[in-house]
Amino acid sequence: MHEFELIKNYFQKLSKKSPSALNLNDDVFFDKKNKLAVSVDTYTEGNHFIDFKRPDLVIKKIIRSSISDLICKGIKPKYYFISGSGNKKSFSKLNLSKISKSLNQEQNKYKIFLSGGDTVFSNKLSFTITSIGFADNIIYRNKAKLYDDVYVSGNIGDSYLGLLVLKNKIKLNSRLKKYFTNQYFMPNIQLKLIDQIKKFANTSIDISDGLIADLVKMINNQKLSYKIFLKDIPISSNLKKILALKKLSKINYISNGDDYQVLFTASKNKMRIIRKIATNCRVKLTKIGTIQSHVKKSSIVDVENRQITLKNKGYFHKF
Amino acid sequence: MHEFELIKNYFQKLSKKSPSALNLNDDVFFDKKNKLAVSVDTYTEGNHFIDFKRPDLVIKKIIRSSISDLICKGIKPKYYFISGSGNKKSFSKLNLSKISKSLNQEQNKYKIFLSGGDTVFSNKLSFTITSIGFADNIIYRNKAKLYDDVYVSGNIGDSYLGLLVLKNKIKLNSRLKKYFTNQYFMPNIQLKLIDQIKKFANTSIDISDGLIADLVKMINNQKLSYKIFLKDIPISSNLKKILALKKLSKINYISNGDDYQVLFTASKNKMRIIRKIATNCRVKLTKIGTIQSHVKKSSIVDVENRQITLKNKGYFHKF
């Protein structure tokens, strides 16, 4: 069963009575009256992270993944809670020191505060992070408008290459190895966009499961489809180099998730302000496609406007 | 390492910068400015619940355990988030239906709303519940005053007997078996106290780890000790019967945890109002001891004022 189905069949009705739960059809809960936004995510070893050989980096990744949910909607994260299940080995004194140090670094970088949590004994390592922020308003899902432009922040695909490196599925020199694995563990999330994104975005999501998977989620309740231009999807010069060198197809490296960049749509007339904000805030914002009527099929196209088949759209949680 | 030590050594400093985290020295986070209270707890199979043969009951237990943290401090829970890690068997359609039904019943009973969460695949079953409520003020830990009376709500020990029944360590007839296991799975938490408790309590905690273990936690940063009268600790008539019948000592059945009753201290001059509120709200509130100076050792005493040794003070989380 897909996670969507599971939520729809068993849990959506439970949130119906709540004025604020967005039908659970979002990564973020928002209570407008109390200006409260909450994101809850669980990360397990072997699933969301390969192993715990680098606790310092794993912790950074999951903290960024958690607050990214808020940031992509224009909410400043303020508090976080971390609940860890693990055994003596995972929570050895050395590992705890590393975890603590990483959390401290992330706190200083993102101005967030550890506010509570729990630690329980388990042979299966997992963490649940609850992030909380306050905002007068947020950007919702499923609010794209017909003919909107589709934008993405930063670069896509570096994190996936980092994962392949960590899994020994691709060999690189030590400089590039470090670059890509760092992108995997410490995605460059767009804190600078928080105060800006509400000025132009109609709808938004952060890319955790894959560019296309998350694009689908962003508009899944709307009678709309997308058209994405492969050539416009921004990738780093390092990734460009690797693709050329190893004769790999770009299409296979742009929707595998863990990017934690912001995907959003905006009306065409916002193009100027988006460019201006991108320059002023030094954030890369790239137009990669458009939103169209659902009578047209969603597609990714090449430079000759031919449809490209994407084998792996990204990660869909399954049971 | 005890959970206390772990928090103190590795995480307390991270919350120092936050104005609201109570140094992580509490089950509840409270942000006075935003009137926000948050409790995060993780429950694992084999640890917080024996198994998942009765998902309907396990779910009720963990929801009550979570909101109990807020209720004992005078905070009305409003939203809850549930993050479940489990495999296909744990999250079968039948189990999901049962989970959903139980959540719905708890929502109606306690007027709380499912507001989000996560589901991830794992062979180790666990749930993290985040409960959120709003309040102008809360009752803190470590605010007992010298010569305060110590009170407890409801009855103590039924839940532990229920656990012994479930573990086949004690045999009872089917009526009593049902009574005690129901007390274990569906503790009778004191929602009625929410609006009342701030009128009289100086400090409070909910009993999850054991009457004495939680009493120690409630005043652990204070130069105070306690004196508890064994005979005054309230137990149900059913438990009284069992103790007599099986010749068991009361002392071994009153600090084993999972009671989810409210433990609090109050100034002596609050006795009248406490009695009045207990009668009006139909809540059993029993005075079980007093708070004394730390120059006297904490003790539990019998009717002849002789100190009784308690072998098992309750549950201390260890790594």
Side-chain angles (χ1 to χ4, degrees):
Chain A
M1 197 178 340
H2 277 102
E3 197 182 17
F4 297 156
E5 248 183 290
L6 185 153
I7 293 170
K8 200 177 152 208
N9 294 345
Y10 299 100
F11 298 110
Q12 210 156 65
K13 59 175 181 271
L14 298 176
S15 75
K16 282 260 162 70
K17 294 165 191 170
S18 171
S20 323
L22 314 179
N23 272 330
L24 306 183
N25 185 27
D26 212 312
D27 292 326
V28 167
F29 163 82
F30 183 59
D31 172 353
K32 198 169 162 56
K33 192 181 142 237
N34 291 296
K35 303 182 177 189
L36 175 73
V38 184
S39 163
V40 178
D41 283 293
T42 296
Y43 305 89
T44 54
E45 185 174 9
N47 192 0
H48 300 84
F49 53 95
I50 305 170
D51 54 43
F52 209 48
K53 285 177 197 156
R54 293 295 305 267
D56 52 333
L57 296 177
V58 168
I59 288 297
K60 289 192 177 195
K61 183 176 179 63
I62 65 179
I63 290 290
R64 290 184 195 195
S65 165
S66 176
I67 62 176
S68 165
D69 273 341
L70 299 181
I71 289 168
C72 76
K73 296 180 169 295
I75 307 153
K76 204 180 145 11
K78 185 168 180 185
Y79 303 122
Y80 71 99
F81 300 74
I82 182 162
S83 190
S85 308
N87 58 22
K88 270 193 177 175
K89 203 182 148 204
S90 304
F91 294 155
S92 68
K93 286 185 181 181
L94 181 64
N95 280 0
L96 286 168
S97 292
K98 287 180 182 175
I99 292 170
S100 177
K101 194 179 163 195
S102 276
L103 289 177
N104 193 37
Q105 288 169 346
E106 296 304 285
Q107 291 201 170
N108 292 334
K109 190 174 172 77
Y110 297 110
K111 307 282 173 278
I112 51 177
F113 302 106
L114 178 62
S115 303
D118 201 359
T119 43
V120 302
F121 183 85
S122 166
N123 275 317
K124 174 88 186 177
L125 181 64
S126 76
F127 296 94
T128 296
I129 314 277
T130 303
S131 289
I132 288 185
F134 299 93
D136 292 321
N137 221 328
I138 69 165
I139 301 166
Y140 293 92
R141 278 201 200 168
N142 290 304
K143 296 283 180 187
K145 288 180 185 149
L146 189 61
Y147 309 128
D148 267 7
D149 289 327
V150 178
Y151 285 84
V152 72
S153 71
N155 291 318
I156 301 298
D158 280 356
S159 179
Y160 178 56
L161 214 80
L163 180 65
L164 293 180
V165 170
L166 288 166
K167 285 182 165 175
N168 287 316
K169 290 190 176 171
I170 206 161
K171 295 272 177 218
L172 300 177
N173 66 42
S174 66
R175 190 189 62 82
L176 285 172
K177 191 175 166 178
K178 195 173 175 190
Y179 169 81
F180 285 108
T181 53
N182 274 350
Q183 294 295 309
Y184 171 79
F185 280 123
M186 295 178 285
N188 190 16
I189 58 176
Q190 304 292 357
L191 199 65
K192 291 175 195 164
L193 278 184
I194 288 178
D195 297 324
Q196 308 299 330
I197 192 165
K198 286 177 214 148
K199 295 177 186 165
F200 49 76
N202 289 327
T203 191
S204 68
I205 195 169
D206 71 322
I207 303 175
S208 52
D209 293 342
L211 176 65
I212 301 304
D214 287 311
L215 178 51
V216 168
K217 270 181 226 166
M218 187 170 67
I219 59 170
N220 68 346
N221 279 347
Q222 298 193 271
K223 288 189 169 173
L224 295 173
S225 64
Y226 60 81
K227 183 175 185 176
I228 299 296
F229 299 93
L230 180 62
K231 73 168 173 44
D232 295 335
I233 296 172
I235 60 172
S236 69
S237 56
N238 278 332
L239 182 54
K240 238 174 249 172
K241 230 180 288 174
I242 303 289
L243 295 181
L245 200 72
K246 304 207 177 244
K247 299 204 171 68
L248 304 170
S249 295
K250 183 179 177 182
I251 187 72
N252 297 325
Y253 293 82
I254 50 79
S255 188
N256 304 77
D258 274 336
D259 301 297
Y260 302 105
Q261 292 300 328
V262 184
L263 182 69
F264 63 92
T265 80
S267 307
K268 292 216 173 296
N269 63 20
K270 297 283 185 186
M271 191 177 291
R272 270 191 59 200
I273 187 174
I274 291 173
R275 282 197 188 146
K276 201 175 146 191
I277 286 171
T279 309
N280 290 348
C281 296
R282 294 170 176 228
V283 176
K284 185 172 175 181
L285 297 175
T286 312
K287 188 190 150 189
I288 59 168
T290 54
I291 294 294
Q292 53 192 17
S293 160
H294 73 293
V295 297
K296 290 186 183 174
K297 247 184 102 179
S298 286
S299 61
I300 311 173
V301 296
D302 66 13
V303 280
E304 271 128 30
N305 208 30
R306 284 177 308 209
Q307 200 174 320
I308 307 164
T309 310
L310 180 65
K311 278 176 205 149
N312 179 11
K313 283 186 182 172
Y315 190 73
F316 290 90
H317 304 265
K318 249 183 153 177
F319 276 92
Chain B
M1 198 178 340
H2 277 102
E3 196 181 18
F4 297 155
E5 247 183 290
L6 185 153
I7 292 170
K8 199 177 155 210
N9 294 347
Y10 299 100
F11 299 110
Q12 209 156 67
K13 58 175 182 271
L14 298 176
S15 76
K16 282 259 162 70
K17 295 165 190 169
S18 171
S20 323
L22 314 179
N23 273 330
L24 307 181
N25 186 26
D26 212 311
D27 292 326
V28 167
F29 163 83
F30 183 59
D31 171 352
K32 197 169 164 57
K33 193 182 141 236
N34 291 295
K35 303 181 179 189
L36 175 73
V38 184
S39 163
V40 178
D41 283 293
T42 296
Y43 305 90
T44 55
E45 185 174 9
N47 192 0
H48 300 84
F49 53 96
I50 305 169
D51 54 42
F52 209 47
K53 283 177 195 155
R54 293 295 305 267
D56 51 334
L57 296 178
V58 168
I59 288 296
K60 289 191 179 195
K61 182 176 180 64
I62 65 179
I63 289 291
R64 291 183 194 195
S65 165
S66 176
I67 62 176
S68 165
D69 273 340
L70 299 181
I71 289 168
C72 75
K73 294 178 170 298
I75 307 153
K76 204 181 144 9
K78 185 167 180 187
Y79 303 122
Y80 71 99
F81 300 74
I82 182 163
S83 190
S85 307
N87 58 22
K88 270 192 175 175
K89 203 182 150 204
S90 303
F91 293 155
S92 67
K93 286 185 181 181
L94 180 64
N95 280 1
L96 286 169
S97 292
K98 287 180 181 174
I99 291 170
S100 176
K101 195 179 164 194
S102 276
L103 289 177
N104 193 38
Q105 287 168 347
E106 296 303 287
Q107 291 200 172
N108 292 334
K109 190 172 172 77
Y110 297 109
K111 308 281 173 277
I112 51 176
F113 302 106
L114 178 61
S115 302
D118 200 359
T119 43
V120 302
F121 182 85
S122 166
N123 275 317
K124 175 88 187 176
L125 181 64
S126 75
F127 296 94
T128 296
I129 313 278
T130 303
S131 289
I132 288 183
F134 299 94
D136 292 320
N137 221 327
I138 69 166
I139 300 166
Y140 293 92
R141 278 201 200 168
N142 289 304
K143 298 281 181 188
K145 288 180 184 148
L146 189 61
Y147 309 128
D148 266 8
D149 289 328
V150 178
Y151 285 84
V152 71
S153 71
N155 291 318
I156 301 299
D158 280 357
S159 181
Y160 178 58
L161 214 80
L163 179 65
L164 294 180
V165 169
L166 288 167
K167 286 181 164 173
N168 288 315
K169 290 190 175 170
I170 205 162
K171 295 274 175 217
L172 300 177
N173 68 41
S174 66
R175 189 190 63 81
L176 285 173
K177 190 175 166 179
K178 195 173 175 190
Y179 169 81
F180 285 107
T181 54
N182 274 350
Q183 294 293 310
Y184 172 78
F185 280 123
M186 295 178 286
N188 190 17
I189 57 175
Q190 304 291 359
L191 199 63
K192 292 174 194 162
L193 278 184
I194 288 177
D195 297 325
Q196 308 300 330
I197 191 165
K198 286 177 217 150
K199 295 177 187 165
F200 48 76
N202 288 329
T203 191
S204 68
I205 195 169
D206 71 321
I207 303 174
S208 52
D209 294 340
L211 175 66
I212 301 303
D214 288 310
L215 178 52
V216 169
K217 271 180 226 168
M218 187 169 69
I219 58 170
N220 68 345
N221 279 347
Q222 298 193 272
K223 288 189 170 174
L224 295 172
S225 65
Y226 60 81
K227 182 175 185 176
I228 298 295
F229 300 93
L230 180 63
K231 72 166 174 45
D232 294 335
I233 296 172
I235 60 173
S236 67
S237 55
N238 278 331
L239 182 54
K240 238 173 250 172
K241 229 181 290 175
I242 303 289
L243 295 182
L245 200 71
K246 304 206 177 245
K247 300 203 170 67
L248 305 170
S249 295
K250 183 179 177 183
I251 187 71
N252 297 325
Y253 292 83
I254 50 79
S255 189
N256 304 77
D258 274 336
D259 300 296
Y260 302 105
Q261 292 301 329
V262 184
L263 182 69
F264 63 91
T265 79
S267 306
K268 292 217 174 296
N269 62 21
K270 297 284 185 187
M271 192 177 290
R272 270 192 59 200
I273 186 173
I274 291 172
R275 282 198 187 146
K276 201 176 146 191
I277 285 171
T279 309
N280 290 347
C281 296
R282 294 169 176 230
V283 176
K284 185 172 175 180
L285 297 176
T286 312
K287 188 189 150 189
I288 59 168
T290 53
I291 294 293
Q292 53 192 19
S293 162
H294 73 292
V295 297
K296 289 187 184 175
K297 247 184 100 179
S298 285
S299 61
I300 311 174
V301 297
D302 67 12
V303 280
E304 272 127 30
N305 208 31
R306 284 179 307 211
Q307 200 174 322
I308 307 164
T309 309
L310 179 65
K311 279 176 207 147
N312 179 11
K313 282 186 182 173
Y315 190 74
F316 290 89
H317 304 265
K318 247 183 156 179
F319 276 92

